[in-house]
Amino acid sequence: MYWNSLTYFGDSMLLLPTGIIIAFFMAWKVTGRFTPLVWLFTFGISGFLVCISKLLFLGWGIGSTRYNFTGFSGHTTMSATIWPVLLWLLSGGLHKRLRQVTIAVGFLLPVLIGYSRVILGAHSPSEVITGLIIGLSASSIFLITQRHQIVKAFTFSQLAIMLIVPILLVSRGKQATTQNMIEQFAEHITGHPAWTREKLLSQLG
């Protein structure tokens, strides 16, 4: 039960709207004029890479039998992109040391989410590790480029407004159908059934 609860914090049903909400609040709380656009670009690139890797495998079987790789873990990649940035934004009014700890939690959480994907059998270690590399690289580059921007503190009411949608989504626990959508798209453009992990691993024999 614990791992199922943890893994939801990397689900697209939660993270996609949260990524958009982050951009809106950046326009309000961050001094950088182009910070929201930089964020949306960073967020979009991570999602694009995940989708392309999954599409290449589902449509044409492009993966790795040796490393049991069928595409980057979306939960891991997107959580590693979003959580460090979200906690950077929310911790703007905190003392420097406490803010550093908060952001560090943002980097740790995706590692745990990725581990939960392996424990639950949803992804192989290679898919999680590469997802972490992409996501943490994306969030790190964003935070480095925006390190000189001033992030204004949140009041309790502002924090509640920002988090109400993510909290509602977590409470419902409804999962995204992103994987099924990519699978159906792959079948549509190739005209044959999508590749599966079982088919990939059967090549070992």
Side-chain angles (χ1 to χ4, degrees), residues 6-204:
L6 178 60
T7 204
Y8 188 75
F9 285 89
D11 195 276
S12 296
M13 183 63 73
L14 171 65
L15 295 187
L16 290 181
T18 300
I20 302 300
I21 291 170
I22 288 173
F24 280 110
F25 275 84
M26 280 181 178
W28 181 14
K29 289 294 185 179
V30 182
T31 56
R33 181 178 179 183
F34 297 106
T35 299
L37 294 178
V38 176
W39 164 245
L40 288 174
F41 177 78
T42 302
F43 179 56
I45 285 294
S46 290
F48 177 76
L49 291 175
V50 170
C51 290
I52 288 298
S53 71
K54 290 180 178 292
L55 183 61
L56 288 174
F57 173 73
L58 292 169
W60 295 275
I62 299 176
S64 172
T65 303
R66 179 179 180 182
Y67 295 106
N68 191 9
F69 180 82
T70 65
F72 308 125
S73 166
H75 281 65
T76 308
T77 305
M78 300 314 295
S79 63
T81 302
I82 287 181
W83 282 108
V85 175
L86 175 59
L87 293 182
W88 167 80
L89 178 64
L90 295 179
S91 64
L94 300 180
H95 184 273
K96 181 179 180 180
R97 180 68 63 179
L98 183 56
R99 191 176 191 215
Q100 290 174 341
V101 172
T102 303
I103 295 172
V105 171
F107 281 99
L108 176 62
L109 184 57
V111 177
L112 296 176
I113 292 171
Y115 183 66
S116 75
R117 301 305 287 166
V118 176
I119 292 295
L120 294 171
H123 281 289
S124 67
S126 67
E127 294 162 353
V128 166
I129 291 171
T130 51
L132 280 173
I133 291 172
I134 294 172
L136 293 179
S137 296
S139 57
S140 296
I141 291 172
F142 174 84
L143 293 177
I144 290 171
T145 60
Q146 303 303 309
R147 66 187 181 280
H148 299 304
Q149 305 301 339
I150 297 174
V151 183
K152 302 173 186 176
F154 280 76
T155 64
F156 180 79
S157 59
Q158 292 168 352
L159 185 63
I161 292 172
M162 180 178 186
L163 296 180
I164 186 170
V165 171
I167 289 174
L168 286 174
L169 290 170
V170 169
S171 66
R172 291 182 63 190
K174 186 176 181 180
Q175 297 181 350
T177 58
T178 313
Q179 180 73 19
N180 290 335
M181 292 173 60
I182 299 175
E183 183 176 322
Q184 291 173 9
F185 182 64
E187 291 177 348
H188 176 73
I189 61 177
T190 62
H192 59 71
W195 273 66
T196 63
R197 188 183 302 276
E198 290 73 20
K199 185 177 180 179
L200 175 72
L201 296 181
S202 68
Q203 298 177 356
L204 287 171

